[in-house]
Amino acid sequence: MDLSDETRIKATSEEANEWAGKNKSPNTPSPNFISHIFYLTAAMSHYGYLKTISTYNDLSKVMEEMQRHLDMLTGDGSWRNGPRQARIEAAIKLTKDEITKVKAQQLSFEVQLLDPELVFQSIGFTTFLSVWLIRQADPRKTHPSPVVELPLPQEVPMSFRVLPEYLVEDIVDYLVFAVRNVPESFALSGKTEVMQFILTFLTSTWYIKNPFLKSKINDVLFMAIWPYGRERNGILGSMLNTHPMALKHLMPALMHFYIEVEQTGASSQFYDKFNARRNISFVLKAIWDNPVHREALNVEAKNVDKFVRFVNLMINDVTYLLDESLSELTQIHNIQVEMDDKATWESQTPEHRRERESTLRSLERHASSYTTLGRSTVELLKLFTAQTKTPFMMPEIVDRLAAMLDYNLDALAGPRCQDLKVRDAEKLRFNPRALLSDILQVFLNLADQPEFVCAVAGDGRSYKKELFERAADIAIRRTLKSVTEIEKLRLFVVKVEEMKATLEAEEDLGEVPDEFLDPLMFTVMRDPVILPSSKTTLDRSTIKSHLLSDSKDPFNRAPLSIEDVIPNTELKAQIDAFLTERRKNSGSFQQPQDSNVNIPKMEVD
């Protein structure tokens, strides 16, 4: 079998050829009979069985496309009793006939691919291949006796790098197929090998070059906890909460991959990351009740730089996903209102109606995806802020977190919330009450943190006392929160109002010289630093926040790390002197001496 044209796991063709030349000599023993059979079986599986599975999967895509075409043809039925009726009915019949043919093909494939004996043998070979592959990466070459130590070394051995990529791809593709279609077939064997394969290459993702392949491994983990039959935790759910390897490495693996998918180098990385992170969120929620996993999170949080980056990406995702989903829900609402006005709607041209219906279906597909992803990320934020709070209070995180929460609270409980009332909310997977409850819970989780109180008070864009009053009213009427939780929210608002008054008094600085203002945030810099490449000065917290998502100078896109920035001590001294002088001239702000403030009661119907 000629491998010269095959993509390798992590090596280029030139590196593979050079390695083969160095390891080829007259004294090299020829592969024995068992080795020949092993590689021939792998090749047969790749070119035969896995190719057949790929063809079967393609039929599902064809079926989905034909169903969308049928939905488009059917439309709202306005073509009935019109000049186009005969032509459209013929097209509908033709499409239904094609769907029937494709369904028959699917059933024919399933009869062969899901044959119990073939499935049993295929799972056995796939798990054997996965164990063999891990052994090639294991420095001791002993896996599974003893099991490989994770994470793997940073230096990837060339003997592993030059292996054909399809070996990994075939393992992943078959596991996806089997876990999705015949999960009960793993009842007797294969679970441990699947878990070890997933954890090995999610904790040590640098062993695989292809970002899509790494995401597929994450997909297998996600599907492996889907319930089936009487098994509520999927094929791996119970093992992830009991097996020593999972208890030690699962949390670090998930956090590592959550960060890695932000920048994979693929052209579609921006959208791919949301599906990968949705899967991670699902797994994290499935294991969250296990105290060993929660303690593993606390251990990971001690690596402050890594955890802060993880938190920052979570906030970025929530910001984008909720903004997109709420925007599209508003557009869906507007189209539905437009269609409800029957007289005006029927007066429009057929082309206009078809275009608006097509836009509506497209918005519904996107909104469904965004609401699901956004909700799962908010749930993750709720869990993490309950468990560990310090990383969320970092200067480069806390202001953005507060602004994001205030903005989305305004969308869900403010005047704009009426625009989110859409028909078939369940179809769009939109549950505004649950989303509001989760966002309020994040506020409650962090209500005792002074940095968070200050950040909410400093949010001049979305924070309003009245907004929290409306949210509390909704939470009481819809029984989203208990009376005790609402009282805690009220106390939080009182603290925010006090801090807001303090900040307003302190920040009444009059006219501020432009050179004292951060060029990105337009706030007074407290710790100005110089970027070495662009020579731009901005606040340290601003550039730290930027570098959490992008390792480039924002002004000229040159590579940059926080260690490279240069403190601008001269400018800092000037700013400090300016602030001292202005505060002296304006008089010191006197904070309330009595801490036993009266908490105003919010009126609730």
Side-chain angles (χ1 to χ4, degrees):
M1 183 169 56
D2 185 11
L3 296 176
S4 59
D5 294 330
E6 292 290 346
T7 302
R8 310 307 175 108
I9 293 178
K10 199 177 171 64
T12 64
S13 298
E14 292 76 14
E15 289 174 328
N17 291 334
E18 181 182 350
W19 181 85
K22 289 180 179 179
N23 289 272
K24 189 175 183 180
S25 70
N27 298 325
T28 303
S30 299
N32 59 26
F33 176 74
I34 294 176
S35 296
H36 277 299
I37 294 299
F38 171 73
Y39 288 113
L40 285 172
T41 305
M44 181 279 299
S45 176
H46 175 68
Y47 293 111
Y49 193 32
L50 269 298
K51 178 60 178 175
T52 306
I53 289 175
S54 177
T55 304
Y56 169 72
N57 292 335
D58 289 341
L59 289 175
S60 297
K61 299 174 186 176
V62 171
M63 181 71 82
E64 291 173 4
E65 189 62 37
M66 294 177 72
Q67 186 60 52
R68 278 197 292 269
H69 181 62
L70 180 61
D71 293 340
M72 185 192 71
L73 289 172
T74 306
D76 62 353
S78 60
W79 46 267
R80 298 185 189 280
N81 301 319
R84 299 165 53 243
Q85 178 172 341
R87 182 156 54 94
I88 293 178
E89 285 181 342
I92 289 174
K93 182 180 184 305
L94 180 62
T95 304
K96 287 182 176 180
D97 290 344
E98 290 300 316
I99 288 175
T100 301
K101 291 177 184 177
V102 173
K103 183 61 179 176
Q105 285 182 289
Q106 286 180 309
L107 293 173
S108 299
F109 272 88
E110 288 173 9
V111 167
Q112 300 298 319
L113 292 175
L114 302 182
D115 175 74
E117 182 60 27
L118 179 60
V119 168
F120 177 75
Q121 297 289 350
S122 298
I123 289 177
F125 179 73
T126 300
T127 53
F128 175 78
L129 184 59
S130 72
V131 171
W132 176 85
L133 192 67
I134 295 174
R135 179 174 289 193
Q136 306 316 301
D138 182 4
R140 298 177 302 183
K141 305 295 183 192
T142 59
H143 179 80
S145 300
V147 174
V148 64
E149 290 186 5
L150 300 179
L152 295 169
Q154 288 290 329
E155 183 65 30
V156 183
M158 187 57 73
S159 59
F160 181 86
R161 290 162 60 98
V162 300
L163 290 172
E165 185 180 84
Y166 74 69
L167 292 175
V168 184
E169 188 173 16
D170 287 356
I171 294 170
V172 175
D173 284 348
Y174 187 74
L175 290 178
V176 168
F177 171 78
V179 172
R180 178 181 289 162
N181 293 283
V182 282
E184 65 280 0
S185 298
F186 289 88
L188 297 178
S189 65
K191 292 182 180 180
T192 302
E193 291 82 1
V194 171
M195 182 202 67
Q196 289 173 344
F197 174 78
I198 292 170
L199 288 178
T200 298
F201 294 108
L202 280 187
T203 57
S204 310
T205 52
W206 55 91
Y207 272 65
I208 299 174
K209 179 174 59 177
N210 188 335
F212 299 107
L213 202 47
K214 289 185 269 194
S215 285
K216 277 188 176 181
I217 296 174
N218 185 50
D219 292 343
V220 175
L221 177 61
F222 170 56
M223 288 185 286
I225 58 174
W226 286 0
Y228 67 91
R230 296 183 179 180
E231 184 54 69
R232 298 177 57 189
N233 301 314
I235 71 168
L236 288 186
S238 299
M239 186 171 287
L240 294 180
N241 279 306
T242 56
H243 196 283
M245 189 177 188
L247 294 174
K248 182 177 180 180
H249 297 293
L250 181 58
M251 186 65 73
L254 294 174
M255 285 187 56
H256 172 79
F257 194 63
Y258 194 101
I259 294 171
E260 182 176 315
V261 293
E262 179 69 18
Q263 294 182 338
T264 61
S267 58
S268 57
Q269 68 179 16
F270 181 79
Y271 298 101
D272 294 340
K273 67 184 180 183
F274 293 125
N275 285 323
R277 288 173 179 166
R278 176 207 58 185
N279 296 352
I280 292 171
S281 300
F282 193 91
V283 176
L284 284 169
K285 283 181 284 185
I287 64 172
W288 190 251
D289 290 337
N290 190 319
V292 179
H293 285 304
R294 292 204 301 272
E295 181 55 32
L297 172 68
N298 291 331
V299 172
E300 288 298 301
K302 292 177 182 177
N303 183 342
V304 176
D305 289 342
K306 177 182 176 182
F307 197 77
V308 165
R309 190 177 178 202
F310 171 75
V311 168
N312 178 73
L313 295 174
M314 233 194 317
I315 294 172
N316 286 350
D317 286 356
V318 173
T319 302
Y320 176 81
L321 291 168
L322 290 188
D323 194 45
E324 286 294 305
S325 61
L326 297 179
S327 171
E328 295 195 342
L329 287 167
T330 300
Q331 294 179 63
I332 290 171
H333 170 78
N334 292 338
I335 295 177
Q336 289 177 342
V337 169
E338 179 184 342
M339 295 172 69
D340 287 341
D341 185 352
K342 297 297 183 183
T344 304
W345 176 253
E346 291 175 2
S347 68
Q348 302 289 345
T349 64
E351 291 77 13
H352 175 81
R353 293 201 300 267
R354 282 198 299 273
E355 179 186 348
R356 296 296 280 166
E357 288 172 349
S358 176
T359 300
L360 178 61
R361 285 192 293 270
S362 176
L363 286 170
E364 286 175 342
R365 285 196 300 272
H366 291 159
S368 175
S369 175
Y370 284 139
T371 53
T372 302
L373 296 172
R375 175 73 196 286
S376 67
T377 313
V378 172
E379 288 179 336
L380 199 59
L381 194 62
K382 177 185 71 173
L383 295 175
F384 278 28
T385 52
Q387 181 66 20
T388 179
K389 303 179 183 183
T390 302
F392 292 91
M393 298 302 105
M394 299 293 286
E396 57 269 34
I397 292 293
V398 67
D399 289 338
R400 295 180 59 250
L401 174 61
M404 178 273 292
L405 292 170
D406 288 341
Y407 177 79
N408 286 296
L409 189 66
D410 182 44
L412 292 167
R416 297 179 297 159
C417 69
Q418 296 301 318
D419 294 338
L420 302 178
K421 291 185 176 180
V422 295
R423 290 192 294 271
D424 298 324
E426 291 184 3
K427 171 186 172 184
L428 300 175
R429 300 174 186 175
F430 178 55
N431 187 338
R433 296 180 189 177
L435 187 57
L436 176 61
S437 177
D438 286 347
I439 288 178
L440 289 177
Q441 191 59 51
V442 177
F443 278 109
L444 292 171
N445 290 344
L446 301 176
D448 59 347
Q449 302 296 302
E451 298 91 342
F452 184 65
V453 172
C454 184
V456 174
D459 176 22
R461 178 190 179 191
S462 301
Y463 170 75
K464 298 180 187 68
K465 178 183 177 182
E466 297 77 15
L467 176 61
F468 281 83
E469 291 175 349
R470 287 195 63 177
D473 180 35
I474 295 171
I476 285 290
R477 285 190 286 110
R478 303 298 185 184
T479 62
L480 304 180
K481 296 297 174 189
S482 67
V483 173
T484 302
E485 289 173 318
I486 293 300
E487 288 300 320
K488 184 178 178 181
L489 186 66
R490 290 171 176 154
L491 178 58
F492 171 72
V493 173
V494 171
K495 291 179 181 178
V496 171
E497 286 294 306
E498 290 177 350
M499 181 57 69
K500 184 180 178 183
T502 302
L503 292 176
E504 288 174 351
E506 288 186 348
E507 295 302 324
D508 186 15
L509 302 173
E511 187 174 347
V512 179
D514 290 345
E515 62 268 25
F516 293 174
L517 296 175
D518 183 285
L520 293 180
M521 303 303 294
F522 300 102
T523 54
V524 178
M525 292 183 285
R526 303 306 175 98
D527 186 7
V529 294
I530 303 170
L531 307 187
S533 177
S534 64
K535 305 301 181 186
T536 306
T537 295
L538 70 170
D539 200 66
R540 184 183 295 272
S541 63
T542 301
I543 192 60
K544 283 184 73 176
S545 179
H546 170 80
L547 291 174
L548 290 173
S549 304
D550 187 351
S551 59
K552 301 288 180 62
D553 185 319
F555 298 95
N556 65 2
R557 307 304 299 159
L560 178 68
S561 68
I562 193 62
E563 290 77 19
D564 298 331
V565 302
I566 306 164
N568 194 332
T569 54
E570 182 179 348
L571 181 58
K572 185 178 188 307
Q574 294 175 17
I575 294 173
D576 289 345
F578 168 80
L579 294 175
T580 301
E581 182 65 23
R582 286 297 173 90
R583 286 170 180 160
K584 185 188 300 181
N585 292 338
S586 63
S588 60
F589 177 78
Q590 298 297 323
Q591 297 190 41
Q593 298 298 313
D594 185 7
S595 60
N596 298 318
V597 295
N598 291 322
I599 303 173
K601 297 288 183 180
M602 297 178 181
E603 296 297 328
V604 176
D605 294 338

